[in-house]
């Protein structure tokens, strides 16, 4: 989209969340977050121990219009005030993506607005361009639906930057020389970091998604008793591999007739240690190699307080000049504000006829 003052309506439905947000931009590239609404069907997936794609998409069909309406409530005349509609076109679950994409196309057609197709992975990175100077969290109708009102100021992110996206579906390291020059350096060869948490959490009898539970249970543990493998930690590339952790945890689980709460907590701690050490080492290796001025984190796993602290400690211990950016917790997990921000800085507006969902979309 042409840089300048305006409002963007963002829509995100790539996985199990149904999200809409409105951002306002000015000529100085300041991005203000006016509304950010997320409805999740996680409680349904917790019952089944994972996402059933059709169930997720059916819920999104129910939520999408109320969520968009709620996000637009901050505007007096949305049809006049919104300049463009940004929507996640991939990667993600096809049924879920289609809900957002077709809704966005319909709004764009009826309101005669340009549409901005956005890569979800870029969204996680661009959450870093939304700061939360004046944060207010409002819970609306149910615990499944959250509204966050944030006023924001643009932080100073300098290039080159190394971005680490760690979510349930992805673990990727990316070099950003500027908004238009973004190069994928490496990623997971098998399971993503969040996926490793969710799968091992299942072995431990934890509800889906297991990441937040693992964080909670590991909180008071001090010792890395199990010292699980750190796959590819010293490899010459920027790749990751986390699928072996399932087997390592399974072996431990099988040694116990019944896992005590203490053993579960210790496994959670050791699991975090293994995953975080690899994520941190590889990210700093990339930062050093490419003389990065900034490190940007994004994706659901970066909501983890221990991981955030570890990154901060690493910056300090290396006495490095590199600046660390981590989105506020609620902007780490899936949301539409990050999609609108990515649309503004990185993606091009087009006609509603030209966009379609692409579940396989990647960085290149
Ligand atoms: O980015 P996200 O909301 O959705 C995807 O694009 O995948 O990430 C969800 C992932 C899940 O695997 C979940 O277990 C993990 O992020 N996650 C966490 C935490 N919160 C969410 N992992 C570790 N610690 C957390 N606090
Ligand atoms: Zn995501």
């Amino acid at each position: 989209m042409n840089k300048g003052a305006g409002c963007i309506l963002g829509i995100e439905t790539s996985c199990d969340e149904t999200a809409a947000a409105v951002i306002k931009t000015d000529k100085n590239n300041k991005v203000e977050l006016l509304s950010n609404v997320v409805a999740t069907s996680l409680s349904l997936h917790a019952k089944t121990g994972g996402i059933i794609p059709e169930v997720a998409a059916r819920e999104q069909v129910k939520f999408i219009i109320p969520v968009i309406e709620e996000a637009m409530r901050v505007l007096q005349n949305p049809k006049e005030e919104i300049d463009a509609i940004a929507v996640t076109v991939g990667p993600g679950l096809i049924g879920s993506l289609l809900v957002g994409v077709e809704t966005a196309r319909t709004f764009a057609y009826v309101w005669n607005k340009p549409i901005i197709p956005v890569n979800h992975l870029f969204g996680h990175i661009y959450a870093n361009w939304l700061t939360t100077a004046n944060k207010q969290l409002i819970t609306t109708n149910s615990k499944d639906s959250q509204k966050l009102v944030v006023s924001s100021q643009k932080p100073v992110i300098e290039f080159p930057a190394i971005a680490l996206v760690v979510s349930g579906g992805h673990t990727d390291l990316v070099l950003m020389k500027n908004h238009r020059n973004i190069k994928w350096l490496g990623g997971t060869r098998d399971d993503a970091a969040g996926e490793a948490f969710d799968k091992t959490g299942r072995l431990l009898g934890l509800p889906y998604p297991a990441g937040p539970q693992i964080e909670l249970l590991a909180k008071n543990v001090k010792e890395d008793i199990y010292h699980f493998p750190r796959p590819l930690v010293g490899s010459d590339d920027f790749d990751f591999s986390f699928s072996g952790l399932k087997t390592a945890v399974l072996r431990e689980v099988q040694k116990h007739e019944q896992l005590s709460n203490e053993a579960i907590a210790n496994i959670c701690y050791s699991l975090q240690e293994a995953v975080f050490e690899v994520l941190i080492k590889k990210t700093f290796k990339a930062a050093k190699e490419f003389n990065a001025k900034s490190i940007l984190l994004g994706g659901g796993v970066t909501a983890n307080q221990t991981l955030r602290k570890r990154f901060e400690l690493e910056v300090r211990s290396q006495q490095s000049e590199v600046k660390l950016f981590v989105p506020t917790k609620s902007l780490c997990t899936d949301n539409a504000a990050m999609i609108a921000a990515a649309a503004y800085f990185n993606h091009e507006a087009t006609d509603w006829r030209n966009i379609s969902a692409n579940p396989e979309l990647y960085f290149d």
Side-chain angles (χ1 to χ4, degrees), residues 57-273:
R58 280 173 185 267
E59 288 300 296
Q60 286 164 320
V61 168
K62 279 192 239 161
F63 281 134
I64 188 76
I65 297 298
V67 163
I68 292 175
E69 274 182 341
E70 179 70 29
M72 290 194 307
R73 206 175 283 186
V74 287
L75 303 174
Q76 285 184 338
N77 187 349
K79 190 180 166 202
E80 297 303 316
E81 290 173 74
I82 287 170
D83 298 285
I85 295 162
V87 63
T88 303
V89 291
L93 304 168
I94 183 66
S96 295
L97 287 168
L98 281 170
V99 176
V101 168
E102 293 311 316
T103 308
R105 293 176 83 213
T106 308
F107 270 97
Y109 167 67
V110 173
W111 283 358
N112 195 22
K113 305 280 179 191
I115 200 161
I116 310 173
V118 176
N119 181 324
H120 179 84
L121 300 171
F122 283 69
H124 278 303
I125 296 172
Y126 278 92
N128 286 288
W129 270 263
L130 295 161
T131 50
T132 53
N134 176 16
K135 196 166 49 166
Q136 194 192 358
L137 193 66
I138 304 167
T139 304
T140 51
N141 47 23
S142 74
K143 51 178 182 298
D144 283 347
S145 171
Q146 234 184 24
K147 184 185 169 196
L148 177 71
V149 182
V150 198
S151 87
S152 44
Q153 274 173 352
K154 186 176 162 281
V156 185
I157 295 174
E158 287 181 280
F159 295 117
I162 293 292
L164 172 72
V165 179
V166 239
S167 68
H170 295 271
T171 307
D172 291 297
L173 267 174
V174 177
L175 168 65
M176 293 180 85
K177 289 190 179 163
N178 55 54
H179 288 297
R180 291 290 153 175
N181 187 335
I182 297 183
K183 192 175 160 230
W184 180 80
L185 299 175
T188 186
R189 295 182 186 171
D190 39 57
D191 290 353
E195 194 177 357
F197 284 145
D198 296 337
K199 286 181 174 170
T200 46
R202 207 177 209 183
L203 295 174
L204 300 172
L206 304 178
Y208 177 88
Q213 288 293 320
I214 289 174
E215 174 174 18
L216 201 68
L217 292 168
K219 213 170 167 186
N220 296 319
V221 180
K222 300 269 177 289
E223 203 187 337
D224 182 3
I225 293 177
Y226 297 102
H227 203 81
F228 294 128
R230 273 69 170 152
L232 301 182
V233 72
S235 70
D236 226 9
D237 49 30
F238 297 106
D239 284 351
F240 301 91
S241 164
F242 293 115
S243 68
L245 284 168
K246 286 190 305 266
T247 323
V249 170
L250 181 64
R251 265 196 223 113
E252 264 332 301
V253 171
Q254 284 169 339
K255 285 183 195 161
H256 299 252
E257 208 155 283
Q258 172 139 39
L259 277 175
S260 67
N261 288 342
E262 195 187 344
I264 293 177
N266 285 331
I267 292 175
C268 289
Y269 183 85
S270 291
L271 188 63
Q272 281 196 166
E273 289 297 299

Side-chain angles (χ1 to χ4, degrees), residues 25-73:
T25 60
D26 70 12
K27 290 204 172 78
N28 301 319
N29 276 350
K30 186 177 165 227
V31 178
E32 192 183 357
L33 181 50
L34 299 185
S35 67
N36 188 26
V37 183
V38 182
T40 170
S41 51
L42 268 185
S43 53
L44 282 178
H45 307 307
K47 286 182 200 147
T48 48
I51 295 172
I52 298 177
E54 190 177 330
V55 173
R58 280 173 185 267
E59 288 300 296
Q60 286 164 320
V61 168
K62 279 192 239 161
F63 281 134
I64 188 76
I65 297 298
V67 163
I68 292 175
E69 274 182 341
E70 179 70 29
M72 290 194 307
R73 206 175 283 186

